[in-house]
Amino acid sequence: QLQLAESGGDLVQAGGSLRLSCAGSGFSLDFFAIGWFRQAPGKDREGVICISSSGGITNDADSVKGRFGISRDKAKNMVYLQMNSLKPEDTGVYYCAADTNLDDGLRTCALKERSYDVWGQGTQVTVSS
């Protein structure tokens, strides 16, 4: 069965960059849409960016558009979240998740939380002013 584990969270100053990793085990991540979500203190969890099994990327939120990117390393069975120009409001717990329904996430992906059924444990990102 597929399992996910995030890593790379850290304390970083505003304007800095950080790369988070999502490691898959038990199954190839290439079959699934993979999404990154985050939850800021006192706020609901929100979708950040996702990548479909064919490489399509959805990143519609104005808060992260142009600053965050997502990529796959198929050889390592990993997905990365590259975060640039970090702001204090980016602070939160970041989760990677997989939509294991093979009818989903082929050409495009969506940041609908309920569609993702396998989740990592989360990694903390703190951006200081």
Side-chain angles (χ1 to χ4, degrees), residues 83-104:
M83 304 185 293
N84 300 318
S85 301
L86 283 164
K87 304 175 181 179
E89 52 262 44
D90 294 320
T91 293
V93 178
Y94 283 70
Y95 302 87
C96 67
D99 179 357
T100 63
N101 186 338
L102 296 181
D103 292 329
D104 299 332

Side-chain angles (χ1 to χ4, degrees), residues 106-125:
L106 181 59
R107 296 184 122 84
T108 61
C109 61
L111 291 166
K112 185 177 181 180
E113 184 173 332
R114 297 299 297 177
S115 296
Y116 294 82
D117 54 328
V118 178
W119 291 75
Q121 80 286 355
T123 186
Q124 176 69 43
V125 173

